[in-house]
Amino acid sequence: MNLNPMYQKTKNPYPTARTLKETPSIPKQRKIRKDKKKDIKVPVSEKQKKAIRRLAYKRKMTATSFSTMLVEEALQSAYLQQLKAVPYKDTHDFVHVKLRNNEYDQIVELAIDWNVSVRKCVYRILVFMLADGVDGKDE
């Protein structure tokens, strides 16, 4: 019988760091949130951004939530397919629109129908809703 455990022939019942590292681990897949939203950056002019911020302030909302609300309302309307093309200019001044997956799918379908990018599609809808909201309901 050896007093030094290093020379004993019995196996250690407790796993060591070396034996733990040797066991292959399968990485767990992270769950995807069901309410995950897609963020779309929409370029707007300075005048449009001021209008969005002003109207959002009147409703005690942020510019992002107000822009999102406008696009969501437009997706509910029946005359959305008949929107005319508007000139698109990338101004490097953006407003964010955060849409749920089903609304984003609707935008993608519209973008395919109109043969434009998703960003241009949301821009067209947002400009239409701003013109409709500024001229009609809010002022």
Short mmCIF file of all heavy atoms in Angstrom, two decimals, residues 53-92:
data_model
loop_
_atom_site.label_atom_id
_atom_site.label_comp_id
_atom_site.label_asym_id
_atom_site.label_seq_id
_atom_site.Cartn_x
_atom_site.Cartn_y
_atom_site.Cartn_z
N ARG A 53 -40.95 63.87 -35.80
CA ARG A 53 -40.66 64.14 -34.39
C ARG A 53 -41.75 65.01 -33.76
O ARG A 53 -42.13 64.80 -32.61
CB ARG A 53 -39.29 64.81 -34.26
CG ARG A 53 -38.16 63.84 -34.60
CD ARG A 53 -36.81 64.46 -34.43
NE ARG A 53 -36.58 64.78 -33.04
CZ ARG A 53 -35.67 65.64 -32.63
NH1 ARG A 53 -34.90 66.26 -33.50
NH2 ARG A 53 -35.50 65.89 -31.36
N ARG A 54 -42.25 65.99 -34.52
CA ARG A 54 -43.30 66.88 -34.01
C ARG A 54 -44.58 66.09 -33.75
O ARG A 54 -45.20 66.21 -32.68
CB ARG A 54 -43.56 68.01 -35.00
CG ARG A 54 -44.51 69.07 -34.49
CD ARG A 54 -44.57 70.26 -35.42
NE ARG A 54 -43.33 71.02 -35.31
CZ ARG A 54 -42.49 71.26 -36.32
NH1 ARG A 54 -42.75 70.80 -37.51
NH2 ARG A 54 -41.39 71.94 -36.14
N LEU A 55 -45.00 65.29 -34.72
CA LEU A 55 -46.22 64.49 -34.57
C LEU A 55 -46.06 63.44 -33.47
O LEU A 55 -47.02 63.15 -32.74
CB LEU A 55 -46.59 63.84 -35.89
CG LEU A 55 -47.02 64.81 -37.01
CD1 LEU A 55 -47.14 64.08 -38.33
CD2 LEU A 55 -48.31 65.51 -36.64
N ALA A 56 -44.88 62.87 -33.36
CA ALA A 56 -44.63 61.89 -32.30
C ALA A 56 -44.70 62.55 -30.93
O ALA A 56 -45.25 61.98 -29.99
CB ALA A 56 -43.27 61.23 -32.52
N TYR A 57 -44.16 63.75 -30.82
CA TYR A 57 -44.19 64.46 -29.55
C TYR A 57 -45.62 64.77 -29.13
O TYR A 57 -45.97 64.68 -27.95
CB TYR A 57 -43.36 65.75 -29.64
CG TYR A 57 -43.39 66.56 -28.37
CD1 TYR A 57 -42.66 66.15 -27.26
CD2 TYR A 57 -44.16 67.71 -28.27
CE1 TYR A 57 -42.70 66.89 -26.08
CE2 TYR A 57 -44.21 68.44 -27.11
CZ TYR A 57 -43.47 68.03 -26.02
OH TYR A 57 -43.52 68.75 -24.85
N LYS A 58 -46.47 65.14 -30.10
CA LYS A 58 -47.87 65.43 -29.79
C LYS A 58 -48.58 64.20 -29.22
O LYS A 58 -49.48 64.33 -28.39
CB LYS A 58 -48.62 65.88 -31.04
CG LYS A 58 -48.30 67.29 -31.46
CD LYS A 58 -49.11 67.65 -32.68
CE LYS A 58 -48.75 69.04 -33.17
NZ LYS A 58 -49.50 69.39 -34.39
N ARG A 59 -48.17 63.02 -29.67
CA ARG A 59 -48.80 61.79 -29.19
C ARG A 59 -48.01 61.13 -28.05
O ARG A 59 -48.31 60.00 -27.68
CB ARG A 59 -48.91 60.79 -30.35
CG ARG A 59 -49.85 61.28 -31.42
CD ARG A 59 -49.94 60.29 -32.51
NE ARG A 59 -50.78 60.82 -33.57
CZ ARG A 59 -51.49 60.09 -34.37
NH1 ARG A 59 -51.45 58.79 -34.27
NH2 ARG A 59 -52.22 60.65 -35.29
N LYS A 60 -46.99 61.83 -27.56
CA LYS A 60 -46.15 61.32 -26.47
C LYS A 60 -45.51 59.98 -26.84
O LYS A 60 -45.56 59.01 -26.07
CB LYS A 60 -46.93 61.22 -25.17
CG LYS A 60 -47.42 62.56 -24.67
CD LYS A 60 -48.13 62.42 -23.38
CE LYS A 60 -48.62 63.70 -22.76
NZ LYS A 60 -48.73 64.88 -23.49
N MET A 61 -44.92 59.95 -28.03
CA MET A 61 -44.26 58.75 -28.55
C MET A 61 -42.86 59.12 -28.98
O MET A 61 -42.52 60.29 -29.11
CB MET A 61 -45.03 58.18 -29.75
CG MET A 61 -46.45 57.78 -29.48
SD MET A 61 -47.33 57.36 -30.98
CE MET A 61 -46.74 55.71 -31.27
N THR A 62 -42.05 58.10 -29.24
CA THR A 62 -40.74 58.33 -29.84
C THR A 62 -40.90 58.36 -31.36
O THR A 62 -41.92 57.92 -31.89
CB THR A 62 -39.75 57.22 -29.46
OG1 THR A 62 -40.21 55.99 -29.99
CG2 THR A 62 -39.60 57.11 -27.96
N ALA A 63 -39.89 58.85 -32.03
CA ALA A 63 -39.94 58.90 -33.50
C ALA A 63 -40.00 57.49 -34.08
O ALA A 63 -40.72 57.25 -35.06
CB ALA A 63 -38.73 59.66 -34.04
N THR A 64 -39.29 56.55 -33.47
CA THR A 64 -39.30 55.17 -33.95
C THR A 64 -40.67 54.54 -33.79
O THR A 64 -41.20 53.93 -34.72
CB THR A 64 -38.24 54.34 -33.21
OG1 THR A 64 -36.96 54.91 -33.45
CG2 THR A 64 -38.25 52.90 -33.67
N SER A 65 -41.25 54.69 -32.62
CA SER A 65 -42.57 54.07 -32.40
C SER A 65 -43.64 54.73 -33.25
O SER A 65 -44.56 54.06 -33.74
CB SER A 65 -42.94 54.12 -30.91
OG SER A 65 -43.02 55.45 -30.47
N PHE A 66 -43.53 56.04 -33.48
CA PHE A 66 -44.51 56.73 -34.33
C PHE A 66 -44.38 56.28 -35.78
O PHE A 66 -45.38 56.01 -36.44
CB PHE A 66 -44.32 58.25 -34.22
CG PHE A 66 -45.29 59.03 -35.05
CD1 PHE A 66 -46.62 59.12 -34.66
CD2 PHE A 66 -44.88 59.67 -36.19
CE1 PHE A 66 -47.53 59.85 -35.43
CE2 PHE A 66 -45.77 60.39 -36.96
CZ PHE A 66 -47.10 60.48 -36.58
N SER A 67 -43.14 56.17 -36.27
CA SER A 67 -42.92 55.71 -37.64
C SER A 67 -43.42 54.28 -37.82
O SER A 67 -44.04 53.95 -38.83
CB SER A 67 -41.45 55.78 -38.00
OG SER A 67 -40.97 57.08 -37.85
N THR A 68 -43.17 53.46 -36.82
CA THR A 68 -43.64 52.08 -36.86
C THR A 68 -45.16 52.04 -36.90
O THR A 68 -45.75 51.27 -37.66
CB THR A 68 -43.11 51.30 -35.65
OG1 THR A 68 -41.69 51.36 -35.66
CG2 THR A 68 -43.57 49.86 -35.66
N MET A 69 -45.80 52.88 -36.08
CA MET A 69 -47.25 52.93 -36.05
C MET A 69 -47.82 53.34 -37.41
O MET A 69 -48.80 52.77 -37.89
CB MET A 69 -47.73 53.90 -34.97
CG MET A 69 -49.24 53.96 -34.82
SD MET A 69 -49.80 55.40 -33.92
CE MET A 69 -49.42 56.71 -35.07
N LEU A 70 -47.19 54.34 -38.06
CA LEU A 70 -47.66 54.78 -39.38
C LEU A 70 -47.60 53.64 -40.40
O LEU A 70 -48.54 53.43 -41.16
CB LEU A 70 -46.82 55.96 -39.87
CG LEU A 70 -47.08 57.31 -39.23
CD1 LEU A 70 -46.14 58.35 -39.82
CD2 LEU A 70 -48.51 57.74 -39.39
N VAL A 71 -46.50 52.91 -40.40
CA VAL A 71 -46.35 51.82 -41.37
C VAL A 71 -47.33 50.70 -41.05
O VAL A 71 -47.93 50.12 -41.96
CB VAL A 71 -44.89 51.31 -41.38
CG1 VAL A 71 -44.74 50.09 -42.26
CG2 VAL A 71 -43.95 52.42 -41.87
N GLU A 72 -47.53 50.40 -39.77
CA GLU A 72 -48.48 49.36 -39.40
C GLU A 72 -49.90 49.73 -39.82
O GLU A 72 -50.66 48.88 -40.30
CB GLU A 72 -48.43 49.11 -37.89
CG GLU A 72 -47.20 48.37 -37.44
CD GLU A 72 -47.06 48.30 -35.93
OE1 GLU A 72 -47.83 48.99 -35.21
OE2 GLU A 72 -46.18 47.56 -35.46
N GLU A 73 -50.27 51.01 -39.63
CA GLU A 73 -51.59 51.47 -40.06
C GLU A 73 -51.73 51.35 -41.58
O GLU A 73 -52.79 50.98 -42.08
CB GLU A 73 -51.84 52.91 -39.63
CG GLU A 73 -52.15 53.08 -38.18
CD GLU A 73 -52.36 54.53 -37.80
OE1 GLU A 73 -52.41 55.40 -38.70
OE2 GLU A 73 -52.47 54.81 -36.60
N ALA A 74 -50.68 51.69 -42.30
CA ALA A 74 -50.74 51.61 -43.76
C ALA A 74 -50.89 50.17 -44.23
O ALA A 74 -51.59 49.92 -45.23
CB ALA A 74 -49.47 52.23 -44.36
N LEU A 75 -50.29 49.24 -43.53
CA LEU A 75 -50.40 47.84 -43.92
C LEU A 75 -51.82 47.32 -43.72
O LEU A 75 -52.22 46.34 -44.36
CB LEU A 75 -49.41 46.97 -43.13
CG LEU A 75 -47.96 47.15 -43.51
CD1 LEU A 75 -47.06 46.38 -42.56
CD2 LEU A 75 -47.71 46.72 -44.93
N GLN A 76 -52.60 47.96 -42.86
CA GLN A 76 -53.99 47.57 -42.65
C GLN A 76 -54.91 48.10 -43.75
O GLN A 76 -56.00 47.57 -43.94
CB GLN A 76 -54.49 48.09 -41.30
CG GLN A 76 -53.68 47.64 -40.11
CD GLN A 76 -53.74 46.15 -39.88
OE1 GLN A 76 -54.76 45.53 -40.11
NE2 GLN A 76 -52.64 45.57 -39.45
N SER A 77 -54.49 49.13 -44.46
CA SER A 77 -55.37 49.77 -45.45
C SER A 77 -55.46 48.93 -46.73
O SER A 77 -54.56 48.18 -47.08
CB SER A 77 -54.86 51.17 -45.78
OG SER A 77 -53.64 51.08 -46.47
N ALA A 78 -56.58 49.11 -47.44
CA ALA A 78 -56.84 48.33 -48.65
C ALA A 78 -56.21 48.96 -49.89
O ALA A 78 -55.95 48.27 -50.87
CB ALA A 78 -58.34 48.18 -48.85
N TYR A 79 -55.97 50.26 -49.87
CA TYR A 79 -55.46 50.96 -51.04
C TYR A 79 -53.93 51.02 -51.09
O TYR A 79 -53.35 51.80 -51.83
CB TYR A 79 -56.04 52.38 -51.11
CG TYR A 79 -55.83 53.20 -49.87
CD1 TYR A 79 -54.69 53.97 -49.71
CD2 TYR A 79 -56.77 53.22 -48.86
CE1 TYR A 79 -54.49 54.71 -48.58
CE2 TYR A 79 -56.58 53.97 -47.71
CZ TYR A 79 -55.44 54.71 -47.58
OH TYR A 79 -55.24 55.46 -46.45
N LEU A 80 -53.28 50.18 -50.35
CA LEU A 80 -51.82 50.20 -50.27
C LEU A 80 -51.17 49.83 -51.60
O LEU A 80 -50.12 50.35 -51.96
CB LEU A 80 -51.37 49.25 -49.17
CG LEU A 80 -49.90 49.30 -48.78
CD1 LEU A 80 -49.56 50.69 -48.25
CD2 LEU A 80 -49.60 48.28 -47.73
N GLN A 81 -51.79 48.93 -52.37
CA GLN A 81 -51.22 48.48 -53.64
C GLN A 81 -51.15 49.62 -54.66
O GLN A 81 -50.32 49.60 -55.56
CB GLN A 81 -52.05 47.33 -54.23
CG GLN A 81 -51.87 46.03 -53.51
CD GLN A 81 -50.53 45.38 -53.82
OE1 GLN A 81 -49.82 45.78 -54.73
NE2 GLN A 81 -50.18 44.40 -53.01
N GLN A 82 -52.01 50.61 -54.54
CA GLN A 82 -52.07 51.68 -55.53
C GLN A 82 -51.16 52.86 -55.23
O GLN A 82 -51.28 53.90 -55.89
CB GLN A 82 -53.52 52.20 -55.67
CG GLN A 82 -54.46 51.25 -56.36
CD GLN A 82 -54.98 50.16 -55.45
OE1 GLN A 82 -55.06 50.34 -54.25
NE2 GLN A 82 -55.32 49.02 -56.02
N LEU A 83 -50.26 52.72 -54.29
CA LEU A 83 -49.35 53.83 -53.99
C LEU A 83 -48.43 54.09 -55.17
O LEU A 83 -47.88 53.18 -55.77
CB LEU A 83 -48.50 53.52 -52.76
CG LEU A 83 -49.19 53.52 -51.41
CD1 LEU A 83 -48.18 53.26 -50.31
CD2 LEU A 83 -49.89 54.82 -51.15
N LYS A 84 -48.26 55.35 -55.47
CA LYS A 84 -47.40 55.73 -56.59
C LYS A 84 -45.94 55.78 -56.13
O LYS A 84 -45.64 55.99 -54.96
CB LYS A 84 -47.82 57.10 -57.10
CG LYS A 84 -49.27 57.18 -57.55
CD LYS A 84 -49.32 57.66 -58.95
CE LYS A 84 -50.67 57.95 -59.45
NZ LYS A 84 -51.69 57.22 -59.62
N ALA A 85 -45.05 55.61 -57.08
CA ALA A 85 -43.62 55.68 -56.78
C ALA A 85 -43.24 57.11 -56.41
O ALA A 85 -43.75 58.07 -56.99
CB ALA A 85 -42.82 55.22 -57.98
N VAL A 86 -42.37 57.25 -55.44
CA VAL A 86 -41.88 58.55 -55.03
C VAL A 86 -40.37 58.57 -55.24
O VAL A 86 -39.72 57.54 -55.16
CB VAL A 86 -42.23 58.85 -53.55
CG1 VAL A 86 -43.71 59.02 -53.36
CG2 VAL A 86 -41.71 57.76 -52.64
N PRO A 87 -39.83 59.75 -55.53
CA PRO A 87 -38.37 59.80 -55.70
C PRO A 87 -37.67 59.47 -54.38
O PRO A 87 -38.01 59.98 -53.33
CB PRO A 87 -38.10 61.25 -56.12
CG PRO A 87 -39.35 61.99 -55.86
CD PRO A 87 -40.47 61.03 -55.77
N TYR A 88 -36.70 58.59 -54.48
CA TYR A 88 -35.98 58.08 -53.30
C TYR A 88 -34.58 58.64 -53.31
O TYR A 88 -33.84 58.48 -54.27
CB TYR A 88 -35.96 56.55 -53.34
CG TYR A 88 -35.18 55.91 -52.24
CD1 TYR A 88 -35.76 55.65 -51.01
CD2 TYR A 88 -33.85 55.51 -52.43
CE1 TYR A 88 -35.05 55.04 -50.00
CE2 TYR A 88 -33.14 54.89 -51.42
CZ TYR A 88 -33.74 54.66 -50.21
OH TYR A 88 -33.04 54.05 -49.21
N LYS A 89 -34.22 59.32 -52.22
CA LYS A 89 -32.87 59.85 -52.11
C LYS A 89 -32.31 59.45 -50.76
O LYS A 89 -32.94 59.67 -49.73
CB LYS A 89 -32.90 61.37 -52.24
CG LYS A 89 -31.53 61.99 -52.22
CD LYS A 89 -31.58 63.49 -52.39
CE LYS A 89 -30.18 64.05 -52.35
NZ LYS A 89 -30.17 65.50 -52.32
N ASP A 90 -31.14 58.85 -50.75
CA ASP A 90 -30.50 58.43 -49.51
C ASP A 90 -29.86 59.66 -48.87
O ASP A 90 -28.83 60.15 -49.32
CB ASP A 90 -29.47 57.35 -49.77
CG ASP A 90 -29.05 56.65 -48.51
OD1 ASP A 90 -29.56 57.01 -47.44
OD2 ASP A 90 -28.21 55.73 -48.60
N THR A 91 -30.48 60.16 -47.80
CA THR A 91 -30.04 61.41 -47.18
C THR A 91 -29.08 61.20 -46.02
O THR A 91 -28.59 62.16 -45.46
CB THR A 91 -31.26 62.18 -46.65
OG1 THR A 91 -31.95 61.34 -45.72
CG2 THR A 91 -32.19 62.58 -47.77
N HIS A 92 -28.85 59.97 -45.61
CA HIS A 92 -28.00 59.63 -44.47
C HIS A 92 -28.55 60.20 -43.16
O HIS A 92 -27.81 60.40 -42.21
CB HIS A 92 -26.56 60.06 -44.69
CG HIS A 92 -25.93 59.43 -45.88
ND1 HIS A 92 -25.64 58.08 -45.94
CD2 HIS A 92 -25.59 59.93 -47.09
CE1 HIS A 92 -25.11 57.80 -47.12
NE2 HIS A 92 -25.08 58.89 -47.84
#
